[in-house]
Amino acid sequence: MTVTVDNASANDSGISYLRKQMNSLKTNIALGKYLHMRCAAHIVNLIVQDGLKEVDTSIKRVRAAVRFIKNGTSRLVKFRECAALEKVDMKAFLSLDVCTRWNSTYDMLKAACAYEKVFTRYAEEDPYYTIELISDKGPGVPDEHDWDNAKKMADFLGHFADITKRVSASLSVTAHTFFHEIGEVNVLVNNWLNSTDVVQAAMGKRMKEKFDKYWGQWHDIVENENEIDKVKAKGKEKEKENINLLIFVAVVLDPRYKLSEYIELVVQEIYGEGAGQKLWAALQKCLHGMFEEYRASYSSNRTPQRSESPQPTQGGGNTRMMKDVVAKRMRLNNGSSSYSSSRGTRTELDKYLAEECEDETKHFDILAWWKGQSSRFPILSRMARDVLSIPISTVASESAFSSSGRILDDFRTSLTPFMVEALICTNDWVRRATPINVAENTEELSKLEEELIQEFKDKEINENNASKSQVLGSRSKGALLPLPAVLSADCCAGLLEPAVLCASVYCHLCSGSAICYNVTLSTLVFCDGLELRMLIY
């Protein structure tokens, strides 16, 4: 039916070759016209990445502020203290983004906006925060306007993050939802395109161009395969590539929508009235053409095999033979227009489209519906089964192929094929029994950070208490005691000058630690190459 791939140019050539081979074997549906299905997640990623090229100064300032806080344990401690004073209790803590992953930018902005008041208070507590951000290399300190822009961007990217999760689902049917996701993206892009903000409008323009390239335009292209090859030879095929019509066929096979007025209006909203009408006509032609192809295929397959030799009959045999001939023609035609139109009957597709749409429910199981209606629509249900099984994203398959790198790493390259198969299967069974979220768990990370910070503080207090007790107990005996590792390398330069050094060491310890040492002129401080030590006479 289709092959879902990403947007690599090599895939276009591969699909063309595969189409020719399958056509030669006569195993294609509609001569492979709808064989190429582009990955929805990749297209969404391209649309957002193009928009983020217009990222303004506000996002850069928020990113710099987050990077400053994450670059030191003491800064994290002070930031959490400010959060406690501001009574900001968030499960998700700050996270840095990755330039090649726009969803990480969304996570960073979402978490940072929740701590807006904390950043403002931290700027008052730590002067180095402002100094570093307003330096020549810094973009500046984020102000109220910057935080407003960051909130708008986080809200905007949040919609695309939700869309990506929905189209990347691997345990549920997604083909019939593709059409609705395209409509959502179209609304989001148009809202920013028509924004009064200059940066948002520029982002919307770039995103609209990428959206139209893959989803937003309908071209009058030739249907003749020979002419298509000529166009490809001229390098113009990409400019006239249309969206795969099976995306629209899938939503028509959703009994909640069918060929309803809602679907028609959405098509016109996305493509305009003129192009929308052309697409609507092409959709109906594609739908009926596919059904006729399925009917011709499965009607002949369902014909029972009968012996060609005449069977002996008794009275009324001619009538039975005529009934068999007529029944055979009825099975072959299966309601075709040449026979059924004169009788006033309709095809399965006509009956399906003429019936009322199902009620819109949140947990509607489309596969169960078609399974229950298979006796009424035996051929159409087969067609629905094939169309609805189309994956609209390659995320699941790419993850499956990349699992080999996680199993056969540098330390486990000698595993036998049997053991590799056992590990992969067991991992899949465990994930199916207990769903595992492979995404970054910010709540767990924040708890881990708090535990590490608390452990660090407790260890420092214990070491300082132990050092103080040793100093007080050994002052009269004369002992070699370690000093806390709070002295900088600059303090080691004049260690042979006790009078000057003792005063500086005393001040440094008082400012850097809660324990004060009574260093006198009779105390000699020196460095043995590993740590600073103090000898008391």
Side-chain angles (χ1 to χ4, degrees):
M1 180 68 73
T2 64
V3 178
T4 305
V5 292
D6 58 20
N7 300 304
S9 57
N11 291 330
D12 298 341
S13 302
I15 293 295
S16 299
Y17 177 79
L18 182 62
R19 181 185 293 111
K20 292 179 180 179
Q21 294 298 319
M22 295 181 68
N23 285 340
S24 63
L25 298 173
K26 297 181 180 181
T27 57
N28 252 344
I29 299 295
L31 297 177
K33 189 187 302 183
Y34 314 114
L35 185 64
H36 192 180
M37 177 70 72
R38 295 189 179 273
C39 174
H42 279 80
I43 296 178
V44 171
N45 180 63
L46 292 175
I47 292 173
V48 179
Q49 288 286 11
D50 265 31
L52 288 180
K53 292 179 181 178
E54 298 289 342
V55 171
D56 60 348
T57 309
S58 299
I59 310 303
K60 296 179 181 178
R61 289 177 178 175
V62 174
R63 181 184 293 118
V66 173
R67 182 180 292 110
F68 178 87
I69 300 299
K70 298 284 288 185
N71 278 349
T73 306
S74 59
R75 295 173 182 176
L76 287 172
V77 174
K78 186 174 293 186
F79 188 83
R80 289 190 176 278
E81 292 175 354
C82 294
L85 294 175
E86 291 291 338
K87 299 180 180 180
V88 176
D89 186 14
M90 290 292 296
K91 295 181 180 180
F93 196 58
L94 301 178
S95 61
L96 279 174
D97 64 335
V98 182
C99 59
T100 57
R101 294 176 55 197
W102 65 265
N103 54 331
S104 65
T105 304
Y106 161 68
D107 294 333
M108 178 197 70
L109 294 176
K110 182 181 178 181
C113 290
Y115 290 94
E116 177 184 353
K117 296 181 180 179
V118 183
F119 277 101
T120 304
R121 189 181 186 96
Y122 186 88
E124 300 174 356
E125 298 288 338
D126 188 355
Y128 292 102
Y129 171 78
T130 305
I131 292 174
E132 181 170 329
L133 293 186
I134 64 175
S135 62
D136 295 337
K137 297 182 179 179
V141 180
D143 53 19
E144 185 177 355
H145 176 71
D146 296 327
W147 288 112
D148 290 338
N149 290 338
K151 290 176 182 177
K152 293 178 182 178
M153 179 63 71
D155 181 66
F156 182 65
L157 295 180
H159 294 289
F160 287 96
D162 295 338
I163 291 173
T164 303
K165 291 178 181 178
R166 292 196 295 266
V167 301
S168 302
S170 58
L171 300 179
S172 59
V173 181
T174 56
H176 65 297
T177 65
F178 198 175
F179 173 78
H180 305 291
E181 303 299 348
I182 293 175
E184 292 293 319
V185 174
N186 180 72
V187 172
L188 291 171
V189 172
N190 285 333
N191 287 342
W192 275 55
L193 181 63
N194 299 324
S195 174
T196 56
D197 186 270
V198 178
V199 177
Q200 292 182 6
M203 288 183 61
K205 182 179 179 180
R206 297 180 68 98
M207 297 172 76
K208 181 64 175 176
E209 292 175 355
K210 188 66 69 173
F211 176 84
D212 290 342
K213 179 180 179 181
Y214 293 106
W215 290 340
Q217 290 184 353
W218 182 260
H219 306 282
D220 294 325
I221 60 176
V222 294
E223 300 292 339
N224 192 330
E225 190 172 349
N226 295 328
E227 294 187 17
I228 291 177
D229 294 336
K230 292 180 181 179
V231 175
K232 286 183 178 180
K234 296 179 180 179
K236 298 181 180 179
E237 175 64 15
K238 284 190 175 181
E239 298 179 1
K240 291 188 175 183
E241 183 180 5
N242 280 331
I243 188 173
N244 197 320
L245 278 175
L246 292 187
I247 297 173
F248 304 92
V249 173
V251 75
V252 173
L253 293 176
D254 188 338
R256 296 171 295 177
Y257 298 100
K258 303 183 180 180
L259 285 175
S260 60
E261 185 181 3
Y262 168 78
I263 301 298
E264 185 176 5
L265 291 177
V266 172
V267 169
Q268 294 182 5
E269 180 69 22
I270 298 176
Y271 298 95
E273 187 174 353
Q277 291 178 355
K278 295 179 181 179
L279 192 152
W280 190 254
L283 169 60
Q284 292 180 331
K285 181 180 178 181
C286 169
L287 183 64
H288 287 84
M290 284 188 62
F291 176 75
E292 293 297 330
E293 189 170 348
Y294 268 81
R295 184 171 63 178
S297 176
Y298 287 103
S299 294
S300 58
N301 291 340
R302 291 190 305 156
T303 304
Q305 298 293 330
R306 296 181 179 272
S307 174
E308 296 181 359
S309 59
Q311 299 293 332
T313 59
Q314 297 180 356
N318 291 334
T319 306
R320 291 181 58 187
M321 292 176 61
M322 180 58 67
K323 287 182 178 179
D324 291 341
V325 172
V326 174
K328 183 177 180 179
R329 289 191 60 184
M330 291 178 65
R331 284 192 296 269
L332 290 174
N333 290 326
N334 194 26
S336 63
S337 58
S338 61
Y339 175 78
S340 59
S341 59
S342 61
R343 299 293 301 265
T345 58
R346 297 173 295 179
T347 64
E348 291 181 18
L349 180 60
D350 295 333
K351 293 178 181 179
Y352 167 75
L353 296 176
E355 293 179 354
E356 293 291 333
C357 296
E358 296 290 331
D359 294 333
E360 180 74 28
T361 57
K362 185 176 181 181
H363 301 287
F364 181 77
D365 191 343
I366 188 171
L367 294 182
W369 190 91
W370 276 108
K371 182 179 180 180
Q373 303 295 324
S374 59
S375 59
R376 297 180 57 226
F377 309 114
I379 298 176
L380 192 60
S381 62
R382 290 174 180 266
M383 176 177 163
R385 178 196 62 188
D386 294 342
V387 173
L388 295 177
S389 63
I390 296 174
I392 63 175
S393 171
T394 61
V395 173
S397 59
E398 288 178 356
S399 177
F401 279 102
S402 62
S403 62
S404 60
R406 296 191 291 267
I407 300 298
L408 292 173
D409 55 16
D410 295 337
F411 302 98
R412 294 192 292 184
T413 55
S414 300
L415 291 177
T416 62
F418 173 79
M419 186 57 65
V420 172
E421 181 181 359
L423 289 172
I424 293 177
C425 291
T426 304
N427 185 26
D428 183 70
W429 297 335
V430 170
R431 287 175 179 270
R432 178 61 62 88
T434 305
I436 300 174
N437 185 10
V438 297
E440 182 180 4
N441 193 330
T442 54
E443 182 177 357
E444 291 294 332
L445 287 177
S446 61
K447 290 182 180 180
L448 181 60
E449 287 181 353
E450 291 178 357
E451 293 175 359
L452 292 175
I453 292 173
Q454 186 63 36
E455 182 180 355
F456 173 79
K457 292 175 67 176
D458 294 341
K459 183 178 180 181
E460 184 180 11
I461 293 174
N462 293 334
E463 290 179 352
N464 291 337
N465 290 336
S467 300
K468 181 178 180 181
S469 61
Q470 290 177 0
V471 171
L472 297 178
S474 306
R475 184 177 297 277
S476 59
K477 299 179 181 179
L480 196 62
L481 303 176
L483 285 177
V486 294
L487 298 177
S488 62
D490 296 335
C491 297
C492 303
L495 292 180
L496 297 180
E497 297 292 336
V500 178
L501 178 66
C502 290
S504 63
V505 171
Y506 179 84
C507 296
H508 190 91
L509 288 174
C510 286
S511 61
S513 175
I515 302 175
C516 297
Y517 291 85
N518 294 322
V519 183
T520 62
L521 293 178
S522 61
T523 303
L524 177 63
V525 183
F526 65 94
C527 177
D528 64 355
L530 297 176
E531 59 182 352
L532 295 176
R533 294 183 178 274
M534 176 175 63
L535 180 62
I536 302 179
Y537 293 96

